[in-house]
Structure formats: structure tokens, C-alpha cells
């Protein structure tokens, strides 16, 4: 029995009969729907839903995309990603089409169902250990991204992902950005691995803990010789700073909500004159530094220099709703958006 959340006719953004690609809500809704399409592709595979019984196609066909390729994990044969091509009919051509992508590469989040849960949870642990870049799933993903970009150019490609898939899209985006290729990316509920400071209600306590954490992290970075002598040319964040992904978070989702404090705290530290400490701290994590001290070099996946941070302020009933992909195409979404550029 299919869940209502899997059926586009019940849960999808049916209000978007015409997509204005200059409209941020429209772009976000389409990107989230394409990510959901990957999730339902895998559910179709698991439940052997084929032909007219398959539920995945409406999630992309409604917006005039075609499925070009499924990305399959070589360990459990699950579908974890998809490459879509935008092919609108002539009647839908208008000025905003120039803002549309030609291809979207989307990655799903963790599915807690037999057939994929074991491998997905294994990769979730890899995120915690800063080891996602060493997995065969990521190798498949980044090779697909490189191939599409080589074929059509960077301006025609979007990345999108949710949760585990957002981590995959984030890592792919960072990898490409290091080579000077900046892809537009839509990262929904991307994991931020740290202590849940954002959940503390007392603002003074929260701010004090963040300052203490920054000082300790910066000190450890210096002690382990991970500083960059204030040389911007050697600053890895300076290289990535021109890449500005769209980062969608919900304060009720403790997996991603730390991004809110991560960016706000950086601005506050600059305001009180100790931005240099924060610039060093913001490039490192305590976990990553401890791993480095033990001889295992690792770059924290979740740390990024710049982002367009979009926070969903709409009240959620529970964690499942706060972490879910469906929230991002709601027509009544209450959001706060702020651009953070690394300097």
C-alpha cells in the first residue's frame, strides 16, 4: 500500500502549474520535488512498482523534466540519485526559462526500509566520521556530476539533495568548487555534525558556549599546525567562498539547525573584534582536529564559507515534519533568508 506522501497527486506542489524560474519559491519547490522523485524511484524499485503502478514519474514530469539516468549504489543496488533533463514544450517558453537548469542531478535522503536502510545508515556514519568522500556511492555521484558538466557546461547544471543526499550534493559542490566550477546547489536539511547548541533557549548561554567553542577550536587548530598564517592565498575557505549554495534548514530539525548558529555566530564574532579567531575556528571542527591528531586527516564536510541560508519559520508538529522534504514546497511557507559571504 503506497503512502499518500509518495503520490504526487496528493502530496506534490500541484499549485505550480506554471513555473516562473525567476521565483525563488518556484525554484525551491521544483528542486525539492526532483529530490523526492529519487526517493520514490527507490521505493518503486523496492516494491516492484512498474509501468502504470510506478509513482515516481509525476514528480518530474509535472515540471517537464525527463529522467536521463538513475544513479545506483554498487553495494546494495539501491537508487540513490538521478539525472534529469529539462525539456519544456514550446508553449511553455517565456522569459524566465533562461533562468532554468538544463540538467538537475538530485540525491535522496536515508530511506528506513529494507533494501536500502543498511547501506544508507552506513553512509550516515561516514558523514559523522568525515569519510563520505571515501565511499563508492560518492565516487559514482561525483563522476556523474563531472560528466554532465563536461558535456553541457557549469551554468546549465543544478545539484539538489535532502539529508544524506544533501550531504552528497554538498560534497560534490565543494569538490567542483575547488576546481573553479561553481554549481547552483539546493541543499535541504543538510546534516551539521556538532553539539546541539542551537537548541539552548537562553541566548546569553548559547552565545557564551559558541565563543568558548570557537576559542578552543582555534587553539587546537593552531596547536596541530592547521592554521594558514592569515594568508588568504593559502586559505581553503577563500577558494570556496565564491560558491554560494542555497541551504534550507528548519530550527526544529537538530540534524541541520546548527547551520543557523554557525553563520550568525561568525557575524557576531566580527562585530566584537575577534573575527580572526572565528575565521580559523569556522574552518575546523573539534572532531576533525582530534582525527587529525590521531593521524587521520579529514575535512569536515558540513563546514562551508558562504551560503544563502533559508530558514523555515513555519511551526512544525514534530521532528519528522521538520526534517522532511515536503515542507519545502508548501505554498504558505514562512521563511527567513539571509546571504552570508565569507570575507
Amino acid at each position: 500500500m503506497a503512502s499518500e506522501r509518495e503520490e504526487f497527486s496528493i502530496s506534490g506542489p500541484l499549485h505550480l502549474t506554471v513555473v516562473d524560474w525567476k521565483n525563488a519559491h518556484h525554484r525551491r519547490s521544483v528542486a525539492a520535488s526532483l529530490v523526492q522523485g529519487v526517493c520514490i524511484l527507490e521505493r518503486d524499485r523496492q516494491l516492484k512498482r512498474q509501468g502504470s503502478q510506478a509513482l515516481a514519474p509525476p514528480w518530474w514530469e509535472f515540471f517537464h523534466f525527463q529522467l536521463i539516468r538513475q544513479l545506483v549504489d554498487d553495494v546494495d543496488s539501491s537508487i540513490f540519485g538521478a539525472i534529469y533533463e529539462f525539456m519544456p514544450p514550446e508553449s511553455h517558453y517565456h522569459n524566465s526559462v533562461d533562468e532554468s537548469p538544463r540538467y538537475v542531478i538530485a540525491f535522496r535522503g536515508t530511506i528506513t526500509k529494507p533494501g536500502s536502510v543498511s547501506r544508507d545508515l552506513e553512509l550516515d556514519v561516514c558523514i559523522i566520521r568525515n569519510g563520505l568522500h571515501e565511499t563508492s556511492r560518492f565516487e559514482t555521484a561525483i563522476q556523474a556530476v563531472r560528466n554532465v558538466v563536461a558535456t553541457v557546461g557549469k551554468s546549465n547544471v543544478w545539484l539538489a539533495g535532502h539529508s544524506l543526499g544533501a550531504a552528497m550534493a554538498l560534497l560534490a559542490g565543494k569538490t567542483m568548487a575547488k576546481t573553479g566550477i561553481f554549481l547552483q546547489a539546493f541543499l535541504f536539511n543538510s546534516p551539521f555534525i556538532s553539539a546541539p547548541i542551537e537548541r539552548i533557549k537562553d541566548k546569553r548561554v548559547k552565545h557564551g558556549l559558541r565563543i568558548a567553542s570557537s576559542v578552543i577550536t582555534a587553539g587546537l587548530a593552531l596547536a596541530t599546525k592547521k592554521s594558514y598564517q592569515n594568508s588568504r592565498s593559502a586559505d581553503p575557505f577563500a577558494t570556496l567562498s565564491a560558491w554560494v549554495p542555497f541551504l534550507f534548514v528548519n530550527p526544529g530539525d537538530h540534524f541541520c539547525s546548527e547551520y543557523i548558529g554557525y553563520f550568525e555566530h561568525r557575524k557576531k564574532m566580527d562585530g566584537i573584534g575577534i573575527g580572526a579567531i572565528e575565521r580559523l575556528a569556522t574552518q575546523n571542527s573539534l572532531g576533525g582536529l582530534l582525527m587529525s591528531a590521531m593521524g587521520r586527516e579529514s575535512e569536515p564536510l558540513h563546514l562551508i564559507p558562504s551560503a544563502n541560508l533559508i530558514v523555515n519559520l513555519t511551526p512544525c508538529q514534530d521532528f519528522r515534519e521538520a526534517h522532511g522534504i515536503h515542507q519545502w514546497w508548501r505554498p504558505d511557507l514562512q521563511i527567513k533568508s539571509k546571504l552570508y559571504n565569507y570575507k
Side-chain angles (χ1 to χ4, degrees), residues 31-108:
S33 295
L34 295 179
V35 171
Q36 176 70 350
V38 182
C39 183
I40 308 307
L41 265 174
E42 171 56 15
R43 291 295 290 145
D44 282 347
R45 183 193 73 86
Q46 292 177 0
L47 298 174
K48 297 181 172 57
R49 297 188 300 226
Q50 300 179 349
S52 61
Q53 293 184 323
L55 298 181
W59 288 97
W60 58 81
E61 291 177 348
F62 186 82
F63 305 108
H64 305 291
F65 282 86
Q66 289 189 8
L67 177 64
I68 301 302
R69 179 188 167 194
Q70 300 175 359
L71 301 180
V72 177
D73 191 293
D74 63 355
V75 173
D76 65 355
S77 299
S78 65
I79 301 168
F80 72 88
I83 302 174
Y84 303 102
E85 183 178 7
F86 183 49
M87 302 187 70
E90 290 186 9
S91 60
H92 281 65
Y93 273 92
H94 45 79
N95 291 338
S96 79
V97 170
D98 294 338
E99 307 290 329
S100 66
R102 182 173 173 188
Y103 289 91
V104 177
I105 306 172
F107 307 100
R108 64 166 175 82

Side-chain angles (χ1 to χ4, degrees), residues 156-174:
N156 294 304
V157 180
W158 285 7
L159 301 176
H162 172 250
S163 193
L164 168 59
M168 193 77 65
L170 172 57
L171 183 55
K174 287 178 70 173

Side-chain angles (χ1 to χ4, degrees), residues 96-276:
S96 79
V97 170
D98 294 338
E99 307 290 329
S100 66
R102 182 173 173 188
Y103 289 91
V104 177
I105 306 172
F107 307 100
R108 64 166 175 82
T110 300
I111 297 178
T112 55
K113 302 288 184 182
S116 60
V117 63
S118 178
R119 175 62 168 163
D120 285 357
L121 291 178
E122 177 187 336
L123 292 167
D124 289 335
V125 172
C126 286
I127 294 175
I128 297 172
R129 296 177 59 250
N130 297 327
L132 189 62
H133 63 289
E134 299 173 336
T135 66
S136 59
R137 180 180 291 191
F138 176 70
E139 184 56 39
T140 300
I142 192 62
Q143 195 56 54
V145 172
R146 287 171 175 149
N147 290 343
V148 172
V149 170
T151 302
V152 302
K154 60 183 179 182
S155 63
N156 294 304
V157 180
W158 285 7
L159 301 176
H162 172 250
S163 193
L164 168 59
M168 193 77 65
L170 172 57
L171 183 55
K174 287 178 70 173
T175 302
M176 299 301 288
K178 289 176 181 177
T179 67
I181 297 173
F182 306 114
L183 303 178
Q184 189 158 173
F186 296 79
L187 311 174
F188 302 99
N189 303 82
S190 188
F192 190 106
I193 309 303
S194 80
I197 299 176
E198 193 60 29
R199 301 180 72 181
I200 298 172
K201 302 300 182 183
D202 190 307
K203 292 184 178 180
R204 288 179 299 177
V205 173
K206 185 190 299 186
H207 186 46
L209 284 173
R210 290 199 184 281
I211 291 177
S213 176
S214 294
V215 172
I216 293 170
T217 302
L220 282 174
L222 287 168
T224 56
K225 300 181 180 180
K226 285 184 68 66
S227 64
Y228 301 98
Q229 292 81 42
N230 293 322
S231 170
R232 190 164 178 81
S233 63
D235 182 350
F237 261 32
T239 304
L240 291 173
S241 62
W243 182 55
V244 187
F246 291 93
L247 192 59
F248 302 92
V249 304
N250 189 309
D253 177 8
H254 56 265
F255 285 161
C256 68
S257 62
E258 285 302 310
Y259 271 115
I260 300 172
Y262 172 72
F263 283 107
E264 288 181 349
H265 179 62
R266 186 192 302 174
K267 184 177 180 181
K268 289 178 180 177
M269 293 286 274
D270 276 329
I272 62 177
I274 51 176

Side-chain angles (χ1 to χ4, degrees), residues 22 24 149 187 201 298 310 341:
K22 295 181 180 179
V149 170
L187 311 174
K201 302 300 182 183
S298 62
I310 298 94
N341 279 317

